Each structure stands twice: as C-alpha cells, then as structure tokens.
Amino acid sequence: MRVALFTPLAVSAVLALAAPWAGGRLPPRMAAWLLTLASLVAAVGAATALGMMAFTLIAQIPAVAAEGEWSPGLVAAHTPVNWLVAAVCTLAVVGCAGALAVSAWRQGAVWLAARRECDALPTGSDLAVVDDPVPHAFALPGSPGRVVISSGMLRALSADERSALLAHERAHLRHRHHLFLLVLRLAAALNPMLRPVARAGGFAVERWADEEAGTLVGDRSLVARAVARAALAAKRAPRRSLAATGGPLPQRVRALLAPPPPLRRDLVVAHALLMVICCSSLALSADDMDQLFDTASPGHAYAAGRLHHHHHEG
C-alpha cells in the first residue's frame, strides 16, 4: 500500500522533469492535450494520495473515530505511514487546497474582467479594432470570443503579417485555449511540482495557434515573421488575454522556421502509461484504505478474536 500511495507523487515528478523535453518533440496540438490531461490526472492523483495519508492521522482523533465507528488504536497499529509523514501530508493538503482556492479566485476574476471587456466592445464581428497608438493584439475568450487589435499594431505590420497574426488569435478562440491554460494553472496550484508542466503546456498552446495560423495562411515563415515583429512592436499585452506575443518567443520562431515535429507514438504511449499508472495506484490505495478501516472496526476485531479463539479450542 505504501508504494501505491506515493506513486502519484512519483508520476508528478516524472512529468515535471520530462514535460519540457517531450512537449517540444510532439505536434503542438497533441502536446497541449497530453500535457493538460496528464497534469490534471497527476494533480488530482497526488492530492488524493496526500489526503489518504493525512486521513490515517485524522482518523485517530477520538471524535472522528467515534463518528466513523473504528478504533483509533487499531488504525494506528495498521496505518501504512507513521504519524510524522501523515502530519506533513495534512499540512501539504491544507496548503495545496488554499493555493487552489486562491488560483481559482484569480482565474475567475480574470475571466470576469475579460467578459466585461468583451461585452463592452462593438458587436457585429469577431474582430475589434481599438484606436490606440500602442501596438497590441490579443484574444478575449467569451460567447463569442473577440480578437482585439490596436491601430498601432495594424500600422506596425504588413497586410500579410496582419493576416497571420489574426489567424493566430482566432485559433486561440476556436480551440478554446483559455480552458487548457485554466486547467494547467489550477493543476499547478494544487500540485506545485507540476509548474514546469504548466509552462510547457502554455508553450504548446501558443505553438498550436502558430501552426494553425501557418496552415491557414500557407506560410509558416510568415507567421514567424508576424509574431516576431508583433513582439518587437508591442509595449503591453493585458494579462487576461491570449496574446500572440506570449510564450518563449525565440523558441516559437525557431520552431516555425524548422520542419513541423512528427507524431512520436512512443511519447504519446509514455504519457498515457503514466496516467494509467497514476489511476491504478489510486484505485489500489483506495481499496487498501477500505480494508484498513474495516480491520480497525470493532466488529471486525471482535470477529477476528472469536475466530482465533475457536481455532485454539479446535
């Protein structure tokens, strides 16, 4: 049971180490999906495992044991982790839950601000041009979402570059990339080990929009030129937006100027295997925890004692 309980934490560590490397060697769309799903599974899995270990200590509190109808002494005798490990896990669960709540509140505030700004824009098109000499362009998620571009950015780019930039922003809206980023950020808040996965996932999302824009305009080097020039021209980009100038720009430009990465089935299988291992270990741990509290119940202890007594009499 002890190995199974720590497996989700080990999976999180492997993902944190491998995600930046693996994400850059997969097609961006596949990388974004895999990293987002893997981070969600690992975050929930690690939090659940920590919660199970923490509960082995909480279950020894007399009031909790009375409510659950089990013996604190028997729980202490059969627990898979000692009290110190369980106490650390309890603090970790409280801290991670608090970080998740803060992150969720911040993301909610950002989303509401984006919706208000989106609703305030003129209707009739998914594109809103604002009269602002400062160059900026970004996508605002909503129902429907809007692409916002300033007059300063329009002047900074050629007609072809404007088309490439708008294709990038529309790709963000079409594929609801803000939801991918939301999951990645919440998973990293719940499980801080997954912060490298969140960064790699955010980069994959930007690369996904880059590649789709390259397909739409028929020239990946044009997209590289457009995002590079937009980044050089931009002075600011609202934090609540999906901006074409986001992410590690030099790496994005290099990727667009190189051939598209092929599908690596081995990396896909490796990510899927990690998720299966995480889920299987949780199922095994849950079953073992159920047996632990069955063993710690007075009825079970009495039945075991009677069976032992009859065995000696025989």
Side-chain angles (χ1 to χ4, degrees):
M1 178 180 180
R2 187 172 301 176
V3 173
L5 276 172
F6 285 100
T7 299
L9 299 175
V11 168
S12 299
V14 171
L15 280 173
L17 292 172
W21 177 84
R25 284 161 178 77
L26 282 167
R29 181 185 185 121
M30 177 62 72
W33 274 105
L34 277 179
L35 293 175
T36 302
L37 291 174
S39 66
L40 178 61
V41 170
V44 173
T48 304
L50 288 172
M52 288 182 187
M53 287 186 276
F55 192 68
T56 61
L57 180 63
I58 296 169
Q60 297 175 44
I61 299 173
V64 176
E67 185 68 25
E69 298 183 349
W70 55 69
S71 165
L74 289 174
V75 172
H78 294 91
T79 182
V81 293
N82 63 43
W83 70 269
L84 182 58
V85 173
V88 170
C89 290
T90 303
L91 294 175
V93 167
V94 172
C96 290
L100 177 64
V102 170
S103 180
W105 182 84
R106 287 176 177 169
Q107 297 299 319
V110 165
W111 183 81
L112 287 174
R115 286 300 301 270
R116 283 195 296 269
E117 183 166 346
C118 197
D119 292 341
L121 294 171
T123 57
S125 170
D126 71 336
L127 177 64
V129 179
V130 295
D131 186 14
D132 187 347
V134 178
H136 58 87
F138 52 90
L140 282 176
S143 302
R146 310 291 295 279
V147 175
V148 181
I149 188 166
S150 70
S151 55
M153 182 63 82
L154 290 176
R155 286 192 292 269
L157 303 178
S158 69
D160 287 345
E161 290 166 348
R162 288 197 293 268
S163 296
L165 189 69
L166 293 175
H168 174 102
E169 300 299 352
R170 285 177 172 134
H172 280 317
L173 295 178
R174 183 163 47 253
H175 298 294
R176 300 184 179 275
H177 285 166
H178 61 286
L179 297 179
F180 287 81
L181 297 179
L182 175 64
V183 172
L184 287 164
R185 289 165 183 165
L186 292 180
L190 183 60
N191 182 350
M193 282 196 294
L194 297 175
R195 286 174 184 169
V197 185
R199 288 192 293 271
F203 178 67
V205 163
E206 288 298 334
R207 286 278 299 115
W208 180 357
D210 286 342
E211 291 294 340
E212 180 142 328
T215 301
L216 289 173
V217 301
D219 188 349
R220 295 171 73 244
S221 63
L222 172 61
V223 178
R225 217 165 43 245
V227 297
R229 185 165 293 180
L232 289 173
K235 302 299 182 185
R236 62 179 172 85
R239 292 182 60 191
R240 57 182 171 276
S241 66
L242 281 160
T245 52
L249 194 66
Q251 292 93 314
R252 287 173 56 198
V253 171
R254 279 199 300 269
L256 282 165
L257 295 177
L263 177 62
R264 292 275 304 270
R265 298 185 191 280
D266 55 336
L267 293 180
V268 176
V269 170
H271 279 80
L273 187 60
L274 282 174
M275 287 187 273
V276 169
I277 290 172
C278 186
C279 294
S280 300
S281 67
L282 280 180
L284 180 61
S285 297
D287 185 61
D288 288 341
M289 288 288 288
D290 189 53
Q291 291 183 27
L292 165 64
F293 287 100
D294 280 346
T295 302
S297 65
H300 184 279
Y302 175 76
R306 293 284 297 170
L307 182 63
H308 182 73
H309 176 72
H310 283 306
H311 176 72
H312 277 287
E313 282 186 346

